[in-house]
Amino acid sequence: MDQDSDCTAERELLEAVNRITAFSTTSPSDEQNQPKAEISCEERKENPEKDNLQDSSASLSPNSSMTTKELQEYWRNEKRQCRQIKLLFEIPSTRIVEHHLSKYVVYKIIILQTGSFDSNKSVIERRYSDFEKLHRCLLEEFSEEMEDVTFPKKTLTGNFTEEIINERKLAFKDYLRVLYSMKYIRRSKKFTDFLTRPELQEAYGCLRGGQYTKALEILLEVIGLQERLTRGNPASIVPTLCAIVVCHKDLEKPASAFEYGEKALSRLHVHTSHKYYIPLLETMIALAYELGKDFLSLQEKLEEWKAKKDPVRVFTLKELAVREYVQ
């Protein structure tokens, strides 16, 4: 009887998905001429190659083995893919750092999201040499796109005057805006690394040193920005999510660890060959057992994977995490 109820719930959810999708993408006059569950959003029109995404009716069928909860998460992810996300860059302030043999200006960058009710913002700091390195790397890979992009030059004198610093604040703000406006650049690893890598390196350094509270604090700050920057590639943030799981687990917060583990697994449901998939499954089974949750479905996925793959050495989740960002 319970199985029948689950199947009914899944069918009803699938039908609702199809109705909502068809309603949002077809006009009354076109309904008879278009597939019922066609998804057509500007994000996918602009980027037909991205992720080779297919519409929800093609990737999901009434015979889907996904649970109702997994179907709901899948549909939420589909809607996120279609929602247009824009980021704004502000540089409200700077500070001058002086060391024994060096002196430089640090620019405070605030990254805001528009087009949603999300009021979260990300705050990072970068110096002139960080921008300069980004510019050189982008010129190597995107010479044509960068042809007309201007970059503020260094001067022999006056680099620390208020006038020059204010000019550069405006110049770097416009520079980031222009880069983000070009889709191939804003999706590039070089651009994403510029905005997230220093913080991630610090977080993983803390994790390796056993400073889990500090590592977790930084990772939770970075994950929101990573999600905004990599919406077309949801699996790319799995390492960060798993590092958060490790921190929560070692801080003896199994419920929080399980919550972020579920987020990571939802991004790997079509990426079962991902190096984090099996270690994450094993960790989630242990957490579910500790929390008194049902872990049979997780166990089944683990056994199914092992039956299909040749036995290979698999690192634990923590072993994988501490290997990230090792120079």
Side-chain angles (χ1 to χ4, degrees), residues 131 135 146 149-151 171-179:
F131 281 98
H135 192 68
M146 296 290 293
V149 178
T150 58
F151 186 83
F172 283 139
K173 173 185 173 179
D174 190 58
Y175 178 73
L176 291 173
R177 178 190 62 79
V178 171
L179 293 183

Side-chain angles (χ1 to χ4, degrees), residues 51 53 59 66 74 234-235 265-274 277:
D51 294 330
L53 287 174
S59 56
M66 298 171 73
Y74 178 90
L265 273 181
S266 72
R267 288 159 172 79
L268 292 180
H269 68 88
V270 294
H271 300 283
T272 57
S273 61
H274 197 285
Y277 182 66

Side-chain angles (χ1 to χ4, degrees), residues 171-189:
F172 283 139
K173 173 185 173 179
D174 190 58
Y175 178 73
L176 291 173
R177 178 190 62 79
V178 171
L179 293 183
Y180 186 75
S181 70
M182 294 183 280
K183 66 178 182 179
Y184 293 111
I185 290 181
R186 72 169 172 262
R187 292 177 187 164
S188 70
K189 187 176 185 300

Side-chain angles (χ1 to χ4, degrees), residues 20-27 30 34-41:
I20 294 170
T21 307
F23 178 80
S24 63
T25 58
T26 62
S27 64
D30 294 335
Q34 294 192 13
K36 187 174 182 180
E38 180 182 354
I39 292 182
S40 175
C41 62

Side-chain angles (χ1 to χ4, degrees), residues 4 13 15 31 37 40 71 74 99 119 139 149 158 168 173 179 208 239 242 244 247 251 270 308-309 326:
D4 292 340
L13 180 59
E15 291 171 359
E31 285 180 354
S40 175
L71 286 167
Y74 178 90
H99 293 303
S119 61
L139 282 173
V149 178
R168 286 185 179 164
K173 173 185 173 179
L179 293 183
R208 284 188 289 274
C242 288
I244 293 174
C247 289
L251 290 170
V270 294
K308 292 180 179 178
K309 304 288 183 180
V326 175

Side-chain angles (χ1 to χ4, degrees), residues 303-317:
E303 296 302 327
E304 180 184 351
W305 187 92
K306 287 182 176 179
K308 292 180 179 178
K309 304 288 183 180
D310 293 330
V312 293
R313 183 191 173 192
V314 177
F315 293 109
T316 66
L317 198 67

